[in-house]
Amino acid sequence: MSKNQPFKDLIEKAQIEDISRSVLSKPGKDIPAGIVVFLVALPLCLGIALASGAPLISGLISGMIGGLVIGILSKSHTSVSGPAASLSAVVLVAINTLQDFEIFLLALFLGGLIQVILGFLKSGMIADYMPTSIIKGLLAAIGLILIFSQLPYALGVEMDDSRILDYSQDFFSGVKEKIMVLAASFAPGALVLSVISLLVMVFWDRTPLKKIKLLPPSLFVVILGVLLNQLFKFFIPELYLSGVHLVSIPEINDISSFLTFPDFSAITSFQVWTYAFTIAIIGSIATLLNLEATDNLDPHKRRSPPNQELVAQGIGNTLAGLVGGIPITSVIVRSSVNIEAGAETKLSTIIHGFLLAISVLFLSSVINLIPLATLAAILLLVGYKLTSFTIISRMYHKGWSQFVPFAVTVIAILMTDVLIGVLIGSASSVFFLLRGNYYNPFYVEETNFNNKRKTIRLELSNEVSFLNKPAIKRTLWNLPKGTRVVIDASFSSYIEPDILEIFNDYKNTFAKENQIDITITGLRENYSPKNEVVVVDKKEIIDKNELKTPSQILHYLEEGNKRYVDGNLVSRRFQNKELKDFIKVDPLAIVVNCIDMREPLNMLLNSGIGDLIPLKAAGSLLDTHLINSIEISCREQGARLILIMGHSNNTLIKNALKNLLEKPADPISPILQPALDGGVFVPENLHQVDINSLSDKISIWNMDYSQREIIRSNPYLKTQIGENKIGLGAAFFKRKNGKIDFYPLFQESFV
C-alpha cells in the first residue's frame, strides 16, 4: 500500500458520504430534470438502436440500465449514461459479421467485464491528461451535431436518415440530398411548435413562470407541445402532427418479447473477443471524454472519479449483454440536457431510468403523444449553448495554442467521428505542448562582467523531462567559446536520466573542447518521479494574509525551511515591474545572522520577496546601532518578528578560537568576548576541546546574548515584546543538511 493510500481512502469515503447526503438534497430540481432527460433520452434510445441495426427495444433496455444501474453505481453527480452513439457503427458491423444478435450480446457481456478490469487497474487516469481545449472542442462539435441533426425534427421533415442520431457517420454524407428534401417538404405544425418552444425557453426568465421551481422551462414546453398539438387537431387540422412526427414506443406484450439472452456457445470465437475488446476500449475512451466534458459543464465544478465510472459502465454493459441491450457510455447530450434542466445530484439520472422503465411497461400511449419538434427545440437550445459565439471567442483570445486544437477538434469530429476527431485534436495539442517545452524549459539569466566574460545561468524548472531535450541542447551547444555556464537544479524535483546524460556529455566533451567553464549546482544523487501525495493538515496551511501574530510568522518560516529541506521549494521569480507591489506590504521579520553566513535566507526559509529584512553582524552579536535599526524596522516598517540566527561551522568564530589557541597573548576577538565573560569556555582549556563543537556552542550562546541585549538596551522593543506585539526568537542553521532549528519565542519566558 502506498503512503498516500489513506488519503485516497479518505477522499473516496468523503465522496460516498457526500453523494449519500446529496441524493435526496435537491428533489425540487432533480425530479423535473429527470423527467426532462427521460423525454430527451426516449427518442435517442430508439434512434441509436435503429442506427446500430439492433432491435429498437434494445436501446430502451440500455437506457434503463444506464439510468438505474449505472446511475446508482456511478459517483458522478450529473453524468447520464445510455446507448452509445459513438459505438453504433461498431455495433452495426459486429452484428452483420457475427450474423446473430445473441452472439453480439456475448461480445458486449465480455466487453463489460473488460471495462470493469480497466477500472480496477486505474486506467481512468487518462482523462486527467485531456487538454481543456480538446474538451471544449468536443462540446462545441456535439453542439453543432445537435443543431444540424435536430433541424429535420424541428421542421417536421419526413426523412428516415434524419431520425437516426448517429454521430459516428460522415457528417457531410448526403448533405445535398437532405437539403433538397428539406426545401421541398416540411410540416408547418412542427415549425410552429419549435418556434414557440424556443421562444418560451429563451424568454423564460422574463416571465412569472420562472418562480415555479418545480417546473423547468424544458418540461413546460413538452407539456405545452402536447396540449397545443391536441388543440391543432380540433381547431387547426393542417398544423396537427401525427405518425412519424410523434414519439413512438413499441408495446411490450410479455416478458419474452422484452429480453434477449447471449449465446455463450460462441465464447471461443476470436471475432467475439475482438469485438469485446473493441467495445471496451472505444466505450471507455468515449465515457472518459464525456465524463470530463460533463464535469466542465457542471456549475459546481465537481470532479467525478474516472476509475469508479469505468467500473460502473462495465457492470452496466455486462448486464446489457445479459438481457439484450446495446453498448452504454456516459453521453454528453443527455448529460448536458440534465445540467441545463437544473439537476444537482445523481437522483435525476436514476429518475430518468425509472421513467424509461415505466414508460416501456405502462405509459407508451401517453408518451407517444409528445411531438418530436418540441424535443428538438430543447436540443437545439442545448446545442447553441455548447457552441455559442461567446465560447469560440473566449477560446480565440486564449491564444493559438488553445484555439487551434479547439478548432481542429471541432472540424475533425464533424468530418469523421467523435473518437477519431478527439485523437486528431489531441495530436495538434501535443504539437503545441512540444513547441512550448522547446522554448520554455528553464529560466535564463545572462551577465557580462567588464565585457570580458559572459556568464549564463540556467535555472531548471521543477520537472525536466525528455520533452525539454531540444531546448537544452539548442541553448548549450550554441554558446560561444569562453562562456561561463551555471546550471542551477536547486528547484528541480525530478530530472530525466536522458537530461543528466546530456549534461555529462556536454561537460566532459564539448565544454572542454570549446573552453566553456560549466558549473552544475543543486543536483541530487538520484531522482525518481514523485507519485505520492503529501497530505497536509489544513491547520498547517498558512496564508500570509492571515499571519497576524509573531508565533504564526515563526511557524511560516519554520514550514518554509521544511520545504527547503524536502526539496519542495516554491520558486520566487518575479519581473521588475512586479517588485513595486512588495513595498506596499509590511515585512514579516527581521533576521540577524553572521557575516560568515552567505547562504540565501529567502531560499533557506522559502519566503517571498519582501518578507524578510536581513541584518548582518559578526558572530550574530548586536550592538547599539543594529538594535536601533531593528527598532526602526519594527516601528516604521511593521515587522512583527525579530529572529537571531546562528549557524554551524562558523569560520569567523573558529578562526578566532584558533588564533587564541596559537597566540594566547593577542587581544581576545570581540566575537568571543561575551562568551568568555559568560564562562562558555576557558582559554587555557582550548587544546582539550573540539573547536568545531565549541564554535557551534558559542554561536548559540551569542544568539541568547543578543536577545537579552535587545531587552536590556531598548525600552520600546522590551515593551512590545512583553505585550506579544513583537516576537523575539532564535534559530540555528545546520550547514550540513540545510535544516534550521527554531527555538521558542523569548517572550514566553520574559514578562
Side-chain angles (χ1 to χ4, degrees):
M1 179 182 292
S2 63
K3 294 180 180 179
N4 60 324
Q5 186 61 43
F7 180 61
K8 292 179 179 178
D9 294 341
L10 183 62
I11 289 179
E12 290 194 5
K13 181 180 179 182
Q15 288 173 332
I16 293 172
E17 291 176 350
D18 175 62
I19 290 172
S20 65
R21 287 193 303 268
S22 65
V23 164
L24 296 176
S25 62
K26 302 286 184 179
K29 292 185 176 182
D30 290 328
I31 294 175
I35 296 173
V36 173
V37 176
F38 152 69
L39 294 171
V40 171
L42 198 61
L44 292 177
C45 291
L46 298 171
I48 293 171
L50 184 62
S52 302
L56 291 182
I57 195 63
S58 64
L60 295 173
I61 291 173
S62 292
M64 288 184 278
I65 294 173
L68 293 173
V69 178
I70 299 178
I72 293 173
L73 296 177
S74 171
K75 291 184 180 179
S76 175
H77 293 81
T78 53
S79 174
V80 182
S81 298
S86 56
L87 277 164
S88 58
V90 174
V91 176
L92 183 64
V93 174
I95 293 175
N96 290 333
T97 302
L98 298 174
Q99 299 181 343
D100 194 329
F101 184 64
E102 286 77 8
I103 297 178
F104 164 76
L105 291 178
L106 175 62
L108 177 57
F109 170 78
L110 296 173
L113 293 179
I114 294 171
Q115 275 190 296
V116 173
I117 294 172
L118 290 175
F120 283 117
L121 293 177
K122 310 297 183 184
S123 302
M125 66 180 182
I126 187 176
D128 296 330
Y129 294 95
M130 191 58 60
T132 302
S133 58
I134 305 300
I135 301 299
K136 296 289 187 182
L138 168 65
L139 292 172
I142 293 296
L144 289 173
I145 290 172
L146 274 177
I147 291 172
F148 288 107
S149 65
Q150 295 304 307
L151 280 176
Y153 293 101
L155 298 175
V157 176
E158 297 182 23
M159 184 169 63
D160 290 340
D161 287 343
S162 70
R163 311 180 73 78
I164 303 174
L165 302 180
D166 180 9
Y167 307 144
S168 64
Q169 291 182 346
D170 184 355
F171 176 73
F172 293 103
S173 65
V175 169
K176 183 178 180 181
E177 176 190 352
K178 293 178 181 180
I179 292 176
M180 295 295 293
V181 174
L182 186 64
S185 170
F186 70 91
L191 180 60
V192 171
L193 289 180
S194 299
V195 171
I196 292 175
S197 298
L198 285 172
L199 290 175
V200 168
M201 289 187 291
V202 170
F203 295 103
W204 179 265
D205 289 338
R206 302 183 185 179
T207 68
L209 292 172
K210 71 174 183 178
K211 298 179 181 179
I212 306 176
K213 301 300 183 182
L214 295 178
L215 186 66
S218 47
L219 178 57
F220 176 81
V221 297
V222 169
I223 298 173
L224 180 64
V226 172
L227 294 177
L228 286 176
N229 193 45
Q230 294 304 310
L231 290 176
F232 291 160
K233 180 178 181 180
F234 297 103
F235 299 102
I236 316 177
E238 58 270 21
L239 296 182
Y240 176 65
L241 299 175
S242 61
V244 295
H245 300 296
L246 302 177
V247 171
S248 178
I249 300 177
E251 293 185 6
I252 304 299
N253 298 320
D254 55 73
I255 196 67
S256 62
S257 63
F258 184 71
L259 302 178
T260 306
F261 304 102
D263 182 359
F264 284 96
S265 64
I267 196 168
T268 57
S269 170
F270 176 76
Q271 288 182 327
V272 167
W273 283 97
T274 299
Y275 284 114
F277 275 99
T278 302
I279 291 170
I281 299 301
I282 297 179
S284 297
I285 293 175
T287 286
L288 294 174
L289 290 174
N290 290 324
L291 192 68
E292 188 73 12
T294 301
D295 286 345
N296 275 276
L297 291 175
D298 183 5
H300 302 294
K301 300 304 177 186
R302 294 165 291 190
R303 312 311 297 173
S304 304
N307 296 313
Q308 176 66 25
E309 188 69 23
L310 287 182
V311 173
Q313 296 289 339
I315 293 174
N317 278 316
T318 301
L319 183 58
L322 283 175
V323 297
I326 53 178
I328 304 170
T329 67
S330 171
V331 185
I332 189 60
V333 176
R334 295 173 180 82
S335 302
S336 57
V337 170
N338 188 38
I339 294 171
E340 182 64 26
E344 292 285 339
T345 72
K346 59 195 288 186
L347 178 61
S348 62
T349 302
I350 299 171
I351 289 174
H352 123 273
F354 175 75
L355 291 177
L356 279 175
I358 294 297
S359 66
V360 171
L361 297 174
F362 307 110
L363 301 177
S364 59
S365 59
V366 176
I367 300 301
N368 288 344
L369 295 175
I370 300 172
L372 291 175
T374 303
L375 299 180
I378 297 173
L379 293 175
L380 283 173
L381 189 59
V382 171
Y384 169 76
K385 291 185 177 182
L386 291 177
T387 186
S388 66
F389 177 78
T390 302
I391 294 175
I392 297 173
S393 175
R394 191 176 299 153
M395 293 303 299
Y396 176 77
H397 285 96
K398 285 186 176 182
W400 292 111
S401 62
Q402 292 290 311
F403 182 73
V404 171
F406 166 80
V408 168
T409 301
V410 173
I411 296 171
I413 289 176
L414 294 179
M415 298 188 68
T416 58
D417 60 41
V418 172
L419 183 58
I420 294 177
V422 167
L423 292 177
I424 294 174
S426 298
S428 66
S429 182
V430 169
F431 167 78
F432 283 100
L433 173 65
L434 295 174
R435 183 174 178 269
N437 277 277
Y438 182 80
Y439 286 105
N440 214 8
F442 41 69
Y443 175 78
V444 180
E445 184 180 37
E446 180 177 329
T447 56
N448 197 332
F449 295 103
N450 300 322
N451 295 321
K452 292 182 179 180
R453 194 177 194 187
K454 182 183 291 186
T455 299
I456 304 292
R457 180 177 174 272
L458 276 67
E459 182 182 307
L460 301 181
S461 56
N462 182 258
E463 292 193 9
V464 187
S465 69
F466 71 94
L467 295 174
N468 305 127
K469 285 174 62 176
I472 291 174
K473 294 175 72 173
R474 171 178 57 88
T475 301
L476 292 178
W477 265 263
N478 286 334
L479 292 176
K481 290 185 178 182
T483 304
R484 183 172 185 270
V485 184
V486 178
I487 299 176
D488 187 356
S490 301
F491 289 100
S492 299
S493 60
Y494 176 71
I495 300 178
E496 192 100 1
D498 287 357
I499 304 299
L500 296 175
E501 187 175 344
I502 289 174
F503 291 156
N504 187 59
D505 292 343
Y506 183 82
K507 183 176 183 179
N508 295 332
T509 306
F510 187 85
K512 288 182 179 180
E513 294 177 357
N514 291 273
Q515 294 82 51
I516 295 175
D517 181 10
I518 180 171
T519 302
I520 305 177
T521 64
L523 279 181
R524 302 183 186 180
E525 294 183 1
N526 56 73
Y527 290 92
S528 60
K530 292 187 176 181
N531 58 359
E532 295 179 351
V533 179
V534 179
V535 183
V536 180
D537 190 310
K538 66 180 181 180
K539 296 179 181 178
E540 299 177 358
I541 299 176
I542 299 175
D543 181 354
K544 285 200 291 184
N545 294 324
E546 298 178 357
L547 299 177
K548 306 297 185 184
T549 67
S551 296
Q552 291 173 334
I553 296 173
L554 186 69
H555 182 65
Y556 167 74
L557 298 179
E558 188 173 3
E559 289 298 307
N561 179 248
K562 287 180 181 178
R563 289 194 295 272
Y564 170 79
V565 174
D566 294 338
N568 295 322
L569 284 174
V570 177
S571 183
R572 304 293 182 184
R573 299 193 211 110
F574 292 92
Q575 300 295 328
N576 289 332
K577 61 183 176 61
E578 295 174 299
L579 295 178
K580 64 180 183 295
D581 296 331
F582 289 94
I583 63 174
K584 303 175 184 177
V585 181
D586 291 343
L588 297 177
I590 304 144
V591 181
V592 180
N593 60 345
C594 180
I595 58 177
D596 178 61
M597 183 177 167
R598 294 188 294 173
E599 292 84 353
L601 285 175
N602 275 81
M603 183 177 288
L604 294 177
L605 297 169
N606 199 208
S607 57
I609 295 175
D611 285 351
L612 308 177
I613 298 178
L615 291 180
K616 292 287 187 180
S620 302
L621 288 171
L622 294 174
D623 59 13
T624 302
H625 172 71
L626 287 175
I627 292 175
N628 289 336
S629 296
I630 292 174
E631 178 188 343
I632 293 171
S633 298
C634 295
R635 188 193 293 267
E636 302 295 334
Q637 293 192 299
R640 284 154 290 164
L641 175 66
I642 305 166
L643 188 66
I644 313 298
M645 182 178 291
H647 67 276
S648 64
N649 196 26
N650 190 313
T651 53
L652 293 182
I653 295 177
K654 286 192 338 184
N655 290 338
L657 289 172
K658 290 177 181 178
N659 186 70
L660 182 61
L661 184 62
E662 296 171 359
K663 302 175 182 179
D666 286 359
I668 299 293
S669 170
I671 62 175
L672 297 180
Q673 191 65 52
L676 179 63
D677 295 341
V680 177
F681 70 96
V682 178
E684 292 78 14
N685 297 336
L686 281 179
H687 62 282
Q688 300 176 359
V689 299
D690 177 57
I691 295 297
N692 292 322
S693 299
L694 181 58
S695 68
D696 290 353
K697 186 177 181 181
I698 293 174
S699 292
I700 294 173
W701 196 92
N702 285 353
M703 289 155 42
D704 181 71
Y705 176 82
S706 293
Q707 286 182 308
R708 297 188 180 278
E709 277 297 297
I710 291 174
I711 300 299
R712 184 189 63 81
S713 64
N714 192 290
Y716 171 79
L717 293 177
K718 178 180 180 179
T719 301
Q720 294 292 305
I721 293 169
E723 295 176 356
N724 198 30
K725 295 179 180 178
I726 295 174
L728 179 58
F732 188 75
F733 169 58
K734 299 177 181 178
R735 277 179 159 161
K736 185 176 181 180
N737 56 16
K739 187 177 185 302
I740 298 177
D741 292 331
F742 290 82
Y743 297 89
L745 290 178
F746 193 84
Q747 73 261 25
E748 293 180 4
S749 58
F750 163 78
V751 177

